[in-house]
Amino acid sequence: MYIAVCDDQIEELEKVMGLLQAWQTDRRAAVRLRSFRSAGELLDAAQRERFTLYLLDVLMPGVTGMEAAREIRSFDGAADIVFLTTSPGFAYESYGVRALEYLLKPVSAKLLFPLLDRLYQREQNPQDGLTVRSEGVLVRLPFSQLSYVEVMGKHLFFHMTDDSVHEVVGALKEYEGALLARPEFMRTHRSYIVNMLQAEKLSPAGVVTFSGRSVPVSRLLYNQLQKDYLELLFSGRDA
């Protein structure tokens, strides 16, 4: 689960992030967190990354949380949206963007934790891999053995740790939700998603996997990718 939190008030933002971190520690949940001080920053990141949950303050200067939610829905119909606000006046409007919840501030663990538990449980699929159709045959691809996914036109190439490659006709959006919901899989480029637990090296020039493959890294994504990679390595989780 990849959670984005957006609030222009630093105190509120830190409080919600603190609650999320407390929940993550208590549940030992494999999630990623990012915080934003403006809806503009959030939308810019959302165009390059796939968040599974947005926690949005409704009233913000410039682009409001409600306007940001409408923009998110224009390119992502699957992510969950939860509004955080001091006013109940926007509750009806929140249905227009298919918001999951509408939580009044101050947000408490009593309200937030059960919501997170429900979403996290939903994401925990007992299957530990993807099933794809490659050359007319159904193939099971364990996440732990999937090194990276490459997009070329209308074809996807699933590169495995043993150097085998499974070609699939389709679009990345059919699989990216399942991949990016796991903390070890990260987008390095618009055409690549990499299992960063299989990354031996990361630099602005690209990712080098333990199997010796080189994967490009977008300049726009590099700084956040480096941060997330270090967090993954030092989090004590092996996802």
Side-chain angles (χ1 to χ4, degrees), residues 75-232:
F75 58 80
D76 188 347
D80 290 303
I81 295 175
V82 173
F83 287 116
L84 313 175
T85 184
T86 56
S87 170
F90 295 91
Y92 180 79
E93 193 174 354
S94 69
Y95 290 108
V97 292
R98 304 194 306 281
L100 180 68
E101 292 283 355
Y102 191 90
L103 302 180
L104 292 177
K105 296 180 180 180
V107 179
S108 66
K110 182 179 180 180
L111 291 177
L112 185 59
F113 283 18
L115 171 66
L116 295 172
D117 288 340
R118 187 166 80 248
L119 294 177
Y120 190 66
Q121 183 61 40
R122 186 188 69 189
E123 296 235 350
Q124 298 312 293
N125 194 315
Q127 302 176 6
D128 289 319
L130 294 174
T131 299
V132 302
R133 183 178 294 277
S134 179
E135 298 181 348
V137 178
L138 290 177
V139 183
R140 185 68 179 161
L141 309 179
F143 288 127
S144 61
Q145 297 173 33
L146 177 56
S147 184
Y148 65 95
V149 183
E150 177 184 13
V151 182
M152 294 183 67
K154 296 182 180 180
H155 294 256
L156 305 176
F157 297 87
F158 292 80
H159 295 259
M160 309 306 289
T161 56
D162 64 359
D163 280 338
S164 63
V165 181
H166 300 280
E167 181 177 353
V168 175
V169 177
L172 184 59
K173 65 181 180 181
E174 298 173 40
Y175 304 97
E176 65 182 1
L179 292 170
L180 297 179
R182 300 178 63 89
E184 71 269 32
F185 285 96
M186 302 178 191
R187 187 185 298 279
T188 66
H189 183 279
R190 65 181 181 179
S191 299
Y192 292 86
I193 292 178
V194 178
N195 180 349
M196 296 303 289
L197 290 177
Q198 296 297 327
E200 181 180 16
K201 298 178 182 178
L202 170 64
S203 73
V207 173
V208 178
T209 69
F210 284 115
S211 58
R213 301 277 184 165
S214 296
V215 179
V217 171
S218 165
R219 179 175 57 84
L220 294 175
L221 297 178
Y222 179 70
N223 289 338
Q224 186 61 43
L225 180 65
Q226 183 181 50
K227 178 181 176 182
D228 291 341
Y229 179 48
L230 290 172
E231 182 180 340
L232 175 71

